Amino acid sequence: MSNNANTDTDTGVVYLVGSGPGDPSLLTVKAKQLLETADIILHDKLPGPAIIESIPESKREDVGKRAGGERTSQEYTNDRLVELAEAGKTVVRLKGGDPFVFGRGGEEMEHLAAAGVPFETVPGITSAIGGPGVAGIPVTHREHASSVSFVTGHEDPTKEGSAIDWEALAATGGTIVVLMGVGKLPAYTAELQDAGMDPETPIAVIERATRPSMQVAVGTLDTAVDVRDEAEIEPPAITIIGEVAATREHVSHWLEQTQHNRSELDTNEDI
Ligand code: SAH
């Protein structure tokens, strides 16, 4: 290989890959192939241990939180992707769920394009749809919800100039799926009630969807905080707000069997 990193033939490719919500059998065929063939995989913790530990240690680089708890900066990750590609590597940037749902995939793609690095995007099952799905909650339903909104719960809803208009969301009558919303759950559930949403509106909180330790807690907008605390829900978790959250009740006897099968699968897997 020549040392001229500026010619197309020498530059590697970066694949922005979604891992799905954590169950390795929910990786796409393409994601699995790329994990097996890439020279190096940059990841954070979100894809979960089963997927991450299936990658040989020598081929993975953690660009999530560092040992001290400090987050690797986005600039570092952006630059590292370019550096590795320019060294001729086939690089996978592995992200939990789908790369473009609150995943900063957009920023990375723009950076790669600006740097002239070839890239390809590989969608994954987002936790925002697949998570509720495996818990028996359809994000839309002909009788209960004709729209769905995906929002970040990371922001303080009472903050001046908050980017999320909870009042408008309350008025849609559709499903609201909150990502990164464990900590601020008291604030946004209160905000929605202040905006006139019925306190009896069903909610569900799903932690580590599709992983063996998945937990689902259900309640109402009014009891959401108690529900979260009683179940000791920790991130990563999603909150589903809307009539569809009650669907789970009607199908729960079947879901238990599915969860059982999933755990069996996991114990049978060498991961
Ligand atoms: N790109 C990801 C979302 C990244 S933001 C996706 O498409 O799923 C991080 C948030 O995703 C977490 O705070 C949590 O709200 C959600 N999340 C990701 N994986 C999850 C899982 N397996 N179970 C529950 N929530 C999950």
Side-chain angles (χ1 to χ4, degrees), residues 15 20 33 41 73 80 85 88 118 154 171 235 251 261:
Y15 293 89
Q33 279 168 352
I41 291 118
S73 72
R80 184 77 182 129
H154 200 60
V251 296
N261 294 346

mmCIF file of all heavy atoms in Angstrom, residues 15 20 33 41 73 80 85 88 118 154 171 235 251 261:
data_model
loop_
_atom_site.group_PDB
_atom_site.id
_atom_site.type_symbol
_atom_site.label_atom_id
_atom_site.label_comp_id
_atom_site.label_asym_id
_atom_site.label_seq_id
_atom_site.Cartn_x
_atom_site.Cartn_y
_atom_site.Cartn_z
ATOM 1 N N TYR A 15 -18.409 2.938 8.130
ATOM 2 C CA TYR A 15 -19.811 2.508 8.147
ATOM 3 C C TYR A 15 -20.450 2.992 9.439
ATOM 4 O O TYR A 15 -19.980 2.648 10.526
ATOM 5 C CB TYR A 15 -19.903 0.982 8.075
ATOM 6 C CG TYR A 15 -19.428 0.416 6.754
ATOM 7 C CD1 TYR A 15 -18.082 0.077 6.567
ATOM 8 C CD2 TYR A 15 -20.313 0.250 5.694
ATOM 9 C CE1 TYR A 15 -17.636 -0.430 5.353
ATOM 10 C CE2 TYR A 15 -19.876 -0.247 4.470
ATOM 11 C CZ TYR A 15 -18.540 -0.586 4.302
ATOM 12 O OH TYR A 15 -18.114 -1.075 3.102
ATOM 13 N N GLY A 20 -29.249 -1.837 16.734
ATOM 14 C CA GLY A 20 -30.518 -2.274 17.298
ATOM 15 C C GLY A 20 -30.462 -2.112 18.809
ATOM 16 O O GLY A 20 -29.475 -1.627 19.358
ATOM 17 N N GLN A 33 -22.311 -8.709 9.393
ATOM 18 C CA GLN A 33 -21.196 -8.938 8.457
ATOM 19 C C GLN A 33 -20.102 -7.910 8.670
ATOM 20 O O GLN A 33 -18.914 -8.233 8.686
ATOM 21 C CB GLN A 33 -21.697 -8.858 7.006
ATOM 22 C CG GLN A 33 -22.352 -10.136 6.541
ATOM 23 C CD GLN A 33 -23.104 -9.952 5.218
ATOM 24 O OE1 GLN A 33 -23.253 -8.822 4.724
ATOM 25 N NE2 GLN A 33 -23.593 -11.039 4.662
ATOM 26 N N ILE A 41 -13.718 -1.204 15.232
ATOM 27 C CA ILE A 41 -15.091 -0.806 15.570
ATOM 28 C C ILE A 41 -15.061 0.210 16.705
ATOM 29 O O ILE A 41 -14.539 -0.073 17.789
ATOM 30 C CB ILE A 41 -15.931 -2.047 15.981
ATOM 31 C CG1 ILE A 41 -16.150 -2.931 14.743
ATOM 32 C CG2 ILE A 41 -17.296 -1.647 16.538
ATOM 33 C CD1 ILE A 41 -15.585 -4.275 14.833
ATOM 34 N N SER A 73 -15.095 13.438 23.734
ATOM 35 C CA SER A 73 -15.742 14.537 23.008
ATOM 36 C C SER A 73 -16.128 14.098 21.593
ATOM 37 O O SER A 73 -15.505 13.209 21.011
ATOM 38 C CB SER A 73 -14.808 15.746 22.928
ATOM 39 O OG SER A 73 -13.763 15.474 22.027
ATOM 40 N N ARG A 80 -11.096 10.891 14.942
ATOM 41 C CA ARG A 80 -10.582 9.515 14.972
ATOM 42 C C ARG A 80 -11.116 8.721 13.772
ATOM 43 O O ARG A 80 -10.394 7.931 13.162
ATOM 44 C CB ARG A 80 -11.008 8.862 16.292
ATOM 45 C CG ARG A 80 -10.469 7.477 16.518
ATOM 46 C CD ARG A 80 -9.015 7.475 16.936
ATOM 47 N NE ARG A 80 -8.536 6.116 17.106
ATOM 48 C CZ ARG A 80 -7.426 5.649 16.542
ATOM 49 N NH1 ARG A 80 -6.646 6.425 15.814
ATOM 50 N NH2 ARG A 80 -7.063 4.392 16.723
ATOM 51 N N ALA A 85 -9.834 6.096 8.748
ATOM 52 C CA ALA A 85 -10.175 5.888 7.332
ATOM 53 C C ALA A 85 -9.007 6.309 6.448
ATOM 54 O O ALA A 85 -8.665 5.625 5.474
ATOM 55 C CB ALA A 85 -11.431 6.665 6.977
ATOM 56 N N GLY A 88 -6.483 3.913 5.761
ATOM 57 C CA GLY A 88 -6.887 2.802 4.902
ATOM 58 C C GLY A 88 -7.763 1.754 5.573
ATOM 59 O O GLY A 88 -8.021 0.696 5.008
ATOM 60 N N PRO A 118 -15.091 8.377 2.368
ATOM 61 C CA PRO A 118 -16.261 7.615 1.937
ATOM 62 C C PRO A 118 -16.967 6.969 3.130
ATOM 63 O O PRO A 118 -16.304 6.464 4.037
ATOM 64 C CB PRO A 118 -15.678 6.521 1.035
ATOM 65 C CG PRO A 118 -14.265 6.901 0.782
ATOM 66 C CD PRO A 118 -13.830 7.811 1.883
ATOM 67 N N HIS A 154 -33.904 14.742 27.920
ATOM 68 C CA HIS A 154 -32.670 15.181 28.553
ATOM 69 C C HIS A 154 -32.731 16.633 29.018
ATOM 70 O O HIS A 154 -32.109 17.020 29.982
ATOM 71 C CB HIS A 154 -31.535 15.004 27.539
ATOM 72 C CG HIS A 154 -30.202 14.969 28.173
ATOM 73 N ND1 HIS A 154 -29.857 14.021 29.099
ATOM 74 C CD2 HIS A 154 -29.117 15.759 28.022
ATOM 75 C CE1 HIS A 154 -28.622 14.241 29.499
ATOM 76 N NE2 HIS A 154 -28.152 15.286 28.862
ATOM 77 N N ALA A 171 -51.221 18.199 23.044
ATOM 78 C CA ALA A 171 -52.404 18.454 22.214
ATOM 79 C C ALA A 171 -52.516 17.522 21.005
ATOM 80 O O ALA A 171 -53.582 17.428 20.401
ATOM 81 C CB ALA A 171 -52.392 19.903 21.746
ATOM 82 N N PRO A 235 -31.273 4.258 33.403
ATOM 83 C CA PRO A 235 -30.993 4.342 31.974
ATOM 84 C C PRO A 235 -30.167 3.115 31.528
ATOM 85 O O PRO A 235 -29.420 2.602 32.363
ATOM 86 C CB PRO A 235 -30.150 5.614 31.837
ATOM 87 C CG PRO A 235 -30.316 6.349 33.137
ATOM 88 C CD PRO A 235 -30.639 5.330 34.178
ATOM 89 N N VAL A 251 -52.013 -8.302 25.940
ATOM 90 C CA VAL A 251 -51.189 -9.326 25.288
ATOM 91 C C VAL A 251 -50.121 -9.890 26.219
ATOM 92 O O VAL A 251 -49.289 -10.684 25.802
ATOM 93 C CB VAL A 251 -50.511 -8.758 24.012
ATOM 94 C CG1 VAL A 251 -51.545 -8.362 22.971
ATOM 95 C CG2 VAL A 251 -49.608 -7.568 24.325
ATOM 96 N N ASN A 261 -38.397 -17.205 26.127
ATOM 97 C CA ASN A 261 -37.630 -17.735 24.998
ATOM 98 C C ASN A 261 -36.367 -16.940 24.782
ATOM 99 O O ASN A 261 -35.310 -17.479 24.455
ATOM 100 C CB ASN A 261 -38.460 -17.689 23.707
ATOM 101 C CG ASN A 261 -39.650 -18.628 23.768
ATOM 102 O OD1 ASN A 261 -39.701 -19.479 24.648
ATOM 103 N ND2 ASN A 261 -40.588 -18.461 22.861
#
